[in-house]
Amino acid sequence: MTRSTTDANVRSALIAAVAFAALVMLLGLFAAPERIWRAWLVAELALVGLAIGGPVFIGITRLSAARWSRPIESVPFAMARALPLAAALAALVILGSSSLFSWTSEEVLQHEPHVAAKSGWLNMPFFILRTVIVLTFWLWAAPRLKQRTGRGFAGLFMIGFALTFSIFSIDWVMSLEPTWFSTMWGVYNFAGLLLSTLAVITMLAIRARRRGELPGLDDEKLRDLGKLIFAFCFFWGYIWYCQYMLIWYTNIPEETSWFASRLSGGWATLCLVNLLVNFLVPFLVLLPAPAKKRERTLMRVCGLLVFGRWLDLYLMTTPSGPFSEPPLSIWEIAPFIGAMAAFFLLATRAPLGRKDEAGSPALDEAVATD
């Protein structure tokens, strides 16, 4: 079978996955609306996270004047192709807001004074305005990172991203349980976003290298990607532990309620699995130095981390609904599969590099002298 035939078959499978997910969502709106809206929220969070994660990776490497990442810069830029779609699909979450956010209910506002006290921030017009501002900034800044290769604009982008992503995480996830709060929420969500971003960058880079599109990606640069995944799976685990330990130690009821609901019944098992797939298993597998540059090992670890991202977002969002035990079926899984299929369709719609290009010396010089 030729490569073109294989590519056509893969694209057909991805398109079929998107169509199947759309069909499941339409059926779910009638059969299980509470579940399908939360499943779509998870899928949208994963999609928008990977789409903006590519530019964030560029911003970090530009600020650190990293040269090793120059041959793979086309990969994170390709990930940003999904950002317009992710921004457009955010409208679906707003359409399902009455099923997701309790603060949209007049009855809740009347009987929950702590929620009503936050109505100056948690009201739908202001929520929509903040979402539009955040997504507009990301859509404006992401393509300009490609045009402006210096560290100056990268620094401004990262400052703006830190602010807008914190607001986005609080609005779209923390406000699902409006009486709960955590001062570590922004950095915890950032750790998950960056870990999944590194996993997908590595997967796409290995795929491109196998196709001869990234000749500058040698074993040492692949090992650098492996080192970053190894480091940030530990970072994610560290932030998870810090947030949990601080809340456990202070034992304030307004804070402990979030973990109490997730460490009981079937949710506790999923929390354990979450720690295994996002921290312990990748950490142990990538601990030996040779494992960090083995394509097959990295692909398996990265696939596990993509699943881990879904599970982490699922545990952030779904327990806030009217479920005593974790709901897990086609309603929860299909939207995420469809979102990831759409993402990979967009990210791989064109070659990720040229066979005759090993790097970008001009870009190296521009970054070094900015």
Coordinates of all heavy atoms in Angstrom, one line a residue, residues 320-365:
S320 N -19.3 17.6 38.9 CA -20.2 18.7 39.2 C -21.6 18.5 38.8 O -22.5 19.3 39.2 CB -19.7 20.0 38.6 OG -19.7 19.9 37.2
G321 N -21.9 17.5 38.0 CA -23.2 17.2 37.6 C -24.0 16.3 38.5 O -23.4 15.9 39.6
P322 N -25.2 15.9 38.2 CA -26.0 15.1 39.1 C -25.7 13.7 39.0 O -26.6 12.8 38.7 CB -27.5 15.5 38.6 CG -27.3 15.7 37.2 CD -25.9 16.3 37.0
F323 N -24.5 13.3 39.3 CA -24.1 11.9 39.1 C -23.5 11.4 40.4 O -22.5 11.9 40.9 CB -23.1 11.7 38.0 CG -23.4 12.4 36.7 CD1 -22.7 13.5 36.3 CD2 -24.5 12.1 36.0 CE1 -23.0 14.2 35.1 CE2 -24.9 12.7 34.8 CZ -24.1 13.8 34.4
S324 N -24.0 10.3 41.0 CA -23.5 9.7 42.2 C -22.3 8.9 41.8 O -21.4 8.7 42.7 CB -24.5 8.9 42.9 OG -25.1 7.9 42.1
E325 N -22.2 8.3 40.6 CA -21.1 7.5 40.2 C -20.7 7.9 38.8 O -21.5 8.6 38.1 CB -21.5 6.0 40.1 CG -21.7 5.3 41.5 CD -20.4 5.2 42.3 OE1 -19.4 5.0 41.6 OE2 -20.5 5.4 43.5
P326 N -19.5 7.7 38.4 CA -19.0 8.2 37.1 C -19.8 7.6 35.9 O -19.9 6.4 35.7 CB -17.5 7.7 37.0 CG -17.2 7.4 38.4 CD -18.4 7.0 39.1
P327 N -20.4 8.5 35.1 CA -21.1 8.0 33.9 C -20.0 7.8 32.8 O -19.3 8.8 32.4 CB -22.0 9.1 33.6 CG -21.4 10.4 34.1 CD -20.6 9.9 35.3
L328 N -19.9 6.6 32.3 CA -18.9 6.3 31.2 C -19.6 5.5 30.1 O -19.9 4.3 30.4 CB -17.7 5.6 31.8 CG -16.6 6.5 32.5 CD1 -15.6 5.6 33.1 CD2 -16.0 7.4 31.5
S329 N -19.8 6.1 29.0 CA -20.4 5.4 27.9 C -20.1 6.1 26.6 O -19.2 7.0 26.6 CB -21.9 5.2 28.1 OG -22.5 6.5 27.9
I330 N -20.8 5.8 25.6 CA -20.5 6.5 24.3 C -20.8 8.0 24.4 O -20.2 8.8 23.7 CB -21.4 5.8 23.2 CG1 -20.9 6.3 21.8 CG2 -22.9 6.1 23.4 CD1 -21.6 5.6 20.7
W331 N -21.7 8.4 25.3 CA -22.0 9.8 25.4 C -20.8 10.6 25.8 O -20.6 11.7 25.4 CB -23.1 10.1 26.4 CG -24.4 9.3 26.1 CD1 -25.0 8.4 27.0 CD2 -25.2 9.3 24.9 NE1 -26.2 7.9 26.4 CE2 -26.3 8.4 25.1 CE3 -25.1 10.0 23.7 CZ2 -27.3 8.2 24.2 CZ3 -26.1 9.7 22.7 CH2 -27.1 8.9 23.0
E332 N -20.0 10.0 26.7 CA -18.8 10.7 27.3 C -17.6 10.6 26.4 O -16.8 11.5 26.4 CB -18.4 10.1 28.6 CG -19.3 10.6 29.8 CD -20.7 10.0 29.8 OE1 -20.8 8.8 29.4 OE2 -21.7 10.7 30.2
I333 N -17.5 9.5 25.6 CA -16.3 9.3 24.8 C -16.3 9.8 23.4 O -15.3 10.4 22.9 CB -16.0 7.7 24.8 CG1 -15.8 7.2 26.2 CG2 -14.8 7.4 23.9 CD1 -15.8 5.7 26.3
A334 N -17.5 9.7 22.8 CA -17.6 10.1 21.3 C -17.2 11.6 21.1 O -16.5 11.8 20.1 CB -18.9 9.8 20.8
P335 N -17.7 12.5 21.9 CA -17.3 13.9 21.6 C -15.8 14.2 21.6 O -15.3 14.9 20.8 CB -18.1 14.7 22.6 CG -19.3 13.9 23.0 CD -18.7 12.5 22.9
F336 N -15.2 13.6 22.6 CA -13.7 13.8 22.7 C -13.0 13.2 21.4 O -12.1 13.8 20.9 CB -13.2 13.1 23.9 CG -11.7 13.2 24.1 CD1 -11.1 14.4 24.5 CD2 -10.9 12.2 23.8 CE1 -9.7 14.5 24.6 CE2 -9.5 12.3 24.0 CZ -8.9 13.4 24.4
I337 N -13.4 12.0 21.0 CA -12.8 11.3 19.9 C -13.1 12.2 18.6 O -12.1 12.4 17.8 CB -13.4 9.9 19.7 CG1 -13.0 9.0 20.8 CG2 -13.0 9.3 18.3 CD1 -13.6 7.6 20.7
G338 N -14.3 12.7 18.5 CA -14.5 13.6 17.3 C -13.7 14.9 17.4 O -13.2 15.3 16.3
A339 N -13.6 15.5 18.5 CA -12.7 16.7 18.6 C -11.3 16.4 18.3 O -10.6 17.2 17.6 CB -12.9 17.3 20.0
M340 N -10.7 15.3 18.8 CA -9.4 15.0 18.5 C -9.2 14.6 17.0 O -8.2 15.0 16.4 CB -8.9 13.8 19.3 CG -8.7 14.2 20.8 SD -7.6 15.5 21.2 CE -8.7 16.9 21.3
A341 N -10.2 14.0 16.4 CA -10.1 13.6 15.0 C -10.1 14.9 14.2 O -9.3 15.1 13.2 CB -11.3 12.8 14.6
A342 N -10.9 15.9 14.5 CA -11.0 17.2 13.8 C -9.6 17.9 14.0 O -9.1 18.5 13.0 CB -12.1 18.0 14.3
F343 N -9.1 17.8 15.2 CA -7.8 18.5 15.4 C -6.7 17.9 14.5 O -6.0 18.6 13.9 CB -7.4 18.3 16.9 CG -6.0 18.8 17.2 CD1 -5.7 20.1 17.3 CD2 -5.0 17.8 17.2 CE1 -4.4 20.5 17.6 CE2 -3.7 18.2 17.5 CZ -3.4 19.6 17.7
F344 N -6.6 16.6 14.5 CA -5.5 16.0 13.7 C -5.8 16.1 12.2 O -4.8 16.2 11.4 CB -5.4 14.5 14.0 CG -4.7 14.2 15.3 CD1 -5.3 13.8 16.5 CD2 -3.3 14.4 15.4 CE1 -4.7 13.7 17.7 CE2 -2.6 14.2 16.6 CZ -3.3 13.8 17.7
L345 N -7.0 16.2 11.8 CA -7.3 16.5 10.4 C -6.7 17.9 10.0 O -6.1 18.1 8.9 CB -8.8 16.5 10.1 CG -9.5 15.2 9.8 CD1 -11.0 15.4 9.8 CD2 -9.0 14.7 8.4
L346 N -6.9 18.9 10.9 CA -6.4 20.2 10.6 C -4.9 20.3 10.7 O -4.3 21.0 9.9 CB -7.1 21.2 11.5 CG -8.6 21.4 11.3 CD1 -9.3 22.2 12.4 CD2 -8.9 22.1 9.9
A347 N -4.4 19.7 11.7 CA -3.0 19.8 12.0 C -2.1 19.1 10.9 O -1.0 19.5 10.7 CB -2.6 19.2 13.4
T348 N -2.7 18.1 10.3 CA -1.9 17.3 9.3 C -2.4 17.5 7.9 O -2.1 16.7 7.0 CB -2.0 15.8 9.6 OG1 -3.4 15.4 9.6 CG2 -1.4 15.5 11.0
R349 N -3.1 18.6 7.6 CA -3.7 18.7 6.3 C -2.6 19.1 5.3 O -2.9 19.1 4.1 CB -4.8 19.8 6.3 CG -4.3 21.2 6.6 CD -5.5 22.2 6.6 NE -5.0 23.6 6.8 CZ -5.8 24.6 7.1 NH1 -7.1 24.4 7.2 NH2 -5.3 25.8 7.3
A350 N -1.5 19.6 5.7 CA -0.4 19.9 4.8 C 0.9 19.4 5.4 O 1.0 19.1 6.6 CB -0.3 21.4 4.7
P351 N 2.0 19.2 4.6 CA 3.2 18.7 5.2 C 3.8 19.6 6.3 O 3.6 20.8 6.2 CB 4.2 18.7 4.0 CG 3.3 18.5 2.8 CD 2.0 19.3 3.2
L352 N 4.4 19.0 7.3 CA 4.9 19.8 8.4 C 6.3 20.3 8.3 O 6.9 20.9 9.2 CB 4.8 18.9 9.7 CG 3.4 18.5 10.1 CD1 3.4 17.7 11.4 CD2 2.5 19.7 10.3
G353 N 6.9 20.1 7.1 CA 8.2 20.6 6.8 C 8.6 20.2 5.4 O 7.9 19.5 4.7
R354 N 9.8 20.7 5.0 CA 10.2 20.4 3.6 C 11.4 19.4 3.8 O 12.2 19.5 4.7 CB 10.7 21.7 2.9 CG 9.6 22.7 2.7 CD 10.0 23.6 1.6 NE 11.3 24.3 1.9 CZ 11.3 25.5 2.5 NH1 10.3 26.1 2.9 NH2 12.5 26.1 2.7
K355 N 11.4 18.5 2.8 CA 12.4 17.4 2.9 C 13.9 18.0 2.8 O 14.8 17.4 3.2 CB 12.2 16.4 1.8 CG 10.9 15.6 2.0 CD 10.8 14.6 0.9 CE 9.6 13.6 1.1 NZ 8.3 14.2 1.2
D356 N 14.0 19.2 2.2 CA 15.3 19.8 2.0 C 15.7 20.8 3.0 O 16.7 21.5 2.9 CB 15.4 20.4 0.6 CG 14.4 21.5 0.4 OD1 13.4 21.6 1.2 OD2 14.6 22.3 -0.5
E357 N 14.9 20.9 4.1 CA 15.1 22.0 5.1 C 15.3 21.4 6.4 O 14.5 20.7 7.0 CB 13.9 22.9 5.1 CG 14.1 24.1 6.1 CD 12.9 25.0 6.1 OE1 11.7 24.5 6.1 OE2 13.0 26.2 6.2
A358 N 16.5 21.6 7.0 CA 16.9 21.0 8.3 C 16.7 22.0 9.4 O 16.6 21.6 10.5 CB 18.3 20.5 8.3
G359 N 16.6 23.2 9.1 CA 16.4 24.2 10.2 C 16.2 25.6 9.6 O 15.9 25.7 8.4
S360 N 16.3 26.6 10.4 CA 16.0 28.0 10.0 C 17.1 28.9 10.6 O 16.9 29.5 11.6 CB 14.6 28.4 10.4 OG 14.4 29.8 9.9
P361 N 18.3 29.0 10.0 CA 19.4 29.8 10.5 C 19.0 31.3 10.7 O 19.3 31.9 11.6 CB 20.5 29.6 9.5 CG 20.2 28.4 8.8 CD 18.7 28.3 8.8
A362 N 18.2 31.8 9.7 CA 17.8 33.2 9.8 C 16.9 33.4 11.1 O 17.0 34.4 11.7 CB 17.0 33.6 8.6
L363 N 16.0 32.4 11.3 CA 15.2 32.5 12.5 C 16.1 32.5 13.8 O 15.8 33.2 14.8 CB 14.2 31.4 12.5 CG 13.1 31.4 13.7 CD1 12.4 32.8 13.7 CD2 12.2 30.3 13.5
D364 N 17.0 31.6 13.8 CA 18.0 31.5 14.9 C 18.6 32.8 15.2 O 18.7 33.3 16.4 CB 19.0 30.4 14.7 CG 18.5 29.0 14.8 OD1 17.4 28.8 15.3 OD2 19.2 28.1 14.3
E365 N 19.1 33.5 14.2 CA 19.8 34.7 14.3 C 18.8 35.8 14.8 O 19.2 36.6 15.7 CB 20.4 35.1 13.0 CG 21.2 36.4 13.1 CD 21.9 36.8 11.8 OE1 21.8 35.9 10.8 OE2 22.5 37.8 11.7

